[in-house]
DNA sequence: GGATGTTTCAAACAGTCGTTTGAATAAATG
DNA sequence: CATTTATTCAAACGACTGTTTGAAACATCC
């Protein structure tokens, strides 16, 4: 099975390079040169550069999303009849993706890629991601509602949005933390980083709601 | 002064297209076609595509940063001998950039561009941005320390990082909010959005600090 | 062994990219 | 007016892009 070997080499190399430089900035020739495989192998195994990106993303994201849903289900069981705990929901969302960085030998390139994907405006990738994330969004949206009963829907949407931004930025641009502040993001285990992120976002979700003025309808 | 006209047309068009599709995804030919100017005009007025990007960014970012520093200085005066208020610091950071969207007729493309710039890993742009933001980072870093005395430096760095992520995501991907949740980000004035973001991030900054275990040194 | 299907490879395809050139035009200056 | 300077323009440069081709090399099975 030399094919599997080539396929994996392409996936690993593409993952690393996409994470480092972005999708558009990396050419197939960059990839095949680094992976030491033939140029045409990419199209033979994946069909197109876009399809390669999808394969790279889903290879890592699918198990992460499965684990997210599993952790959330377990949190529900643990809560029993009691209210779902916000921190448990957030941990279910964060832990799998942050652990994937530490566990796999990919050297953290995967999380940068996932973070980057959120901010990349590749239209095809966007559609692909919505499909990959559909179940996660549905389930966690419901879980947040349960953990924060009574929070206005619009406010909930915005806060989820802020939370997603903090998460994506942490995944994607951990190196910026070091360059701007001098704090080394890699100095501590992923558990500590997740703990910090949970603390921050949970407090944000629970913030006292400012009463926003109704939008003046002029028509 | 037809030159100024051409120069401005290029800047406006490049700003819009870069914001929509990203730096790499937009070619100079896309820009000059939309701006209805000659291809060589870009190099005549700006020197290179990279330099054009820098010009696009700094044209908007410089006044925004000036206003940020001015608002922060005013907040200091208002506080007098009292402790600087966290919300005032955050507002000084958010208001100018969010207002720039509403005020200028660019149709919000500028804020998306600024948000995108944070997440783009264009190495040259990164260096450029560090220079443009240097004063802002120094001043606001100090302000956060004053507003939150006693907060551990590492924790402060991380929370600033989370805050920057929430801000950048809100600026860059406001449309995702609509596509994922159905909430229309443009339905309310920028003041309300800023208020929501201030509430969320201020609560995050003030969250009870979890006592992180010391990193086990194995050597 | 020969035939069949899978995987690799060098070479080329048709475009697009950022950039440069040198002449043509417009504006400003004497 | 002529002359110098600033700006526009069409055309081309070489390099790079994703993709395709068809023949080799390899593995598998009858």
């Amino acid at each position: 099975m030399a094919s599997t070997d080539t396929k994996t080499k392409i996936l690993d190399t593409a993952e690393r390079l996409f994470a480092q430089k972005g999708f558009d900035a990396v050419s197939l020739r960059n990839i095949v040169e680094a992976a030491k495989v033939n140029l045409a192998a990419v199209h033979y195994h994946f069909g197109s550069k876009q399809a390669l990106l999808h394969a790279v993303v889903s290879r890592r994201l699918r198990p992460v999303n499965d684990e997210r849903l599993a952790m959330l289900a377990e949190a529900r069981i643990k809560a029993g009849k009691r209210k779902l705990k916000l921190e448990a929901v957030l941990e279910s969302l964060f832990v799998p993706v942050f652990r994937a960085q530490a566990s796999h030998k990919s050297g953290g390139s995967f999380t940068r890629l996932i973070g980057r994907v959120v901010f990349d405006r590749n239209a095809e990738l966007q559609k692909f991601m919505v499909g990959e994330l559909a179940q996660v969004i549905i389930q966690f949206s419901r879980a947040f509602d349960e953990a924060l009963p009574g929070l206005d829907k619009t406010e909930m949407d915005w806060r989820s949005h802020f939370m997603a931004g903090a998460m994506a930025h942490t995944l994607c641009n951990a190196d910026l933390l070091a360059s701007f502040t001098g704090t080394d993001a890699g100095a501590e285990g992923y558990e500590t980083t997740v703990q910090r992120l949970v603390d921050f976002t949970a407090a944000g979700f629970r913030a006292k709601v400012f009463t926003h003025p109704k939008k003046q309808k002029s028509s």
Side-chain angles (χ1 to χ4, degrees), chain A:
Chain A
M1 281 221 196
S3 91
T4 298
D5 197 43
T6 301
K7 211 167 167 178
T8 305
K9 274 199 290 186
I10 293 173
L11 280 172
D12 289 343
T13 310
E15 175 179 301
R16 180 166 52 84
L17 293 181
F18 284 159
Q20 276 172 19
K21 296 173 181 288
F23 180 64
D24 286 325
V26 174
S27 72
L28 291 181
R29 284 169 179 83
N30 294 150
I31 295 171
V32 300
E33 190 185 5
K36 280 179 284 195
V37 301
N38 188 270
L39 174 60
V42 174
H43 290 87
Y44 176 77
H45 287 289
F46 299 98
S48 71
K49 189 189 180 188
Q50 186 77 40
L52 170 62
L53 174 63
H54 293 180
V56 166
V57 170
S58 76
R59 176 175 69 144
R60 303 286 189 211
L61 190 56
R62 202 157 293 175
V64 164
N65 283 341
D66 289 348
E67 202 186 337
R68 282 169 159 171
L69 294 172
M71 272 189 76
L72 182 60
E74 200 179 354
R76 281 189 195 284
I77 291 171
K78 214 165 189 171
K81 285 182 59 180
R82 296 189 307 278
K83 195 181 66 180
L84 202 50
K85 214 175 146 206
L86 177 60
E87 277 79 0
V89 178
L90 288 169
E91 276 171 24
S92 302
L93 195 61
F94 298 153
V95 165
V97 67
F98 279 86
R99 176 160 52 199
Q101 176 178 37
S103 71
H104 217 269
K105 62 174 184 293
S106 62
S109 65
F110 152 63
T111 54
R112 269 213 298 237
L113 174 66
I114 297 294
R116 180 189 295 284
V117 156
V118 175
F119 285 82
D120 238 326
R121 308 321 302 273
N122 182 318
E124 295 226 37
L125 181 60
Q126 205 75 25
K127 275 189 281 181
F128 178 76
M129 288 293 290
V130 169
E132 290 278 310
L133 288 171
Q135 274 303 309
V136 171
I137 291 172
I138 292 171
Q139 292 295 328
F140 277 83
S141 173
R142 185 175 312 169
F144 281 121
D145 280 337
E146 290 173 31
L148 294 162
L151 181 58
D152 175 66
K153 176 184 174 348
T154 304
E155 191 69 42
M156 173 67 88
D157 289 343
W158 276 103
R159 293 183 177 185
S160 303
H161 194 62
F162 299 150
M163 180 270 300
M167 177 186 69
H169 192 200
T170 306
L171 288 172
C172 184
N173 298 322
D175 55 330
L176 285 186
L177 185 69
S179 84
F180 279 138
T181 70
T183 292
D184 182 11
E188 51 191 34
Y190 78 90
E191 300 95 338
T192 306
T193 302
V194 167
Q195 181 70 52
R196 295 190 200 276
L197 187 55
V198 167
D199 288 350
F200 184 91
T201 53
F205 267 114
R206 290 205 183 94
K208 183 170 161 298
V209 175
F210 174 81
T211 305
H212 301 287
K214 285 266 160 60
K215 180 75 186 286
Q216 201 78 17
K217 278 273 181 176
S218 54
S219 59

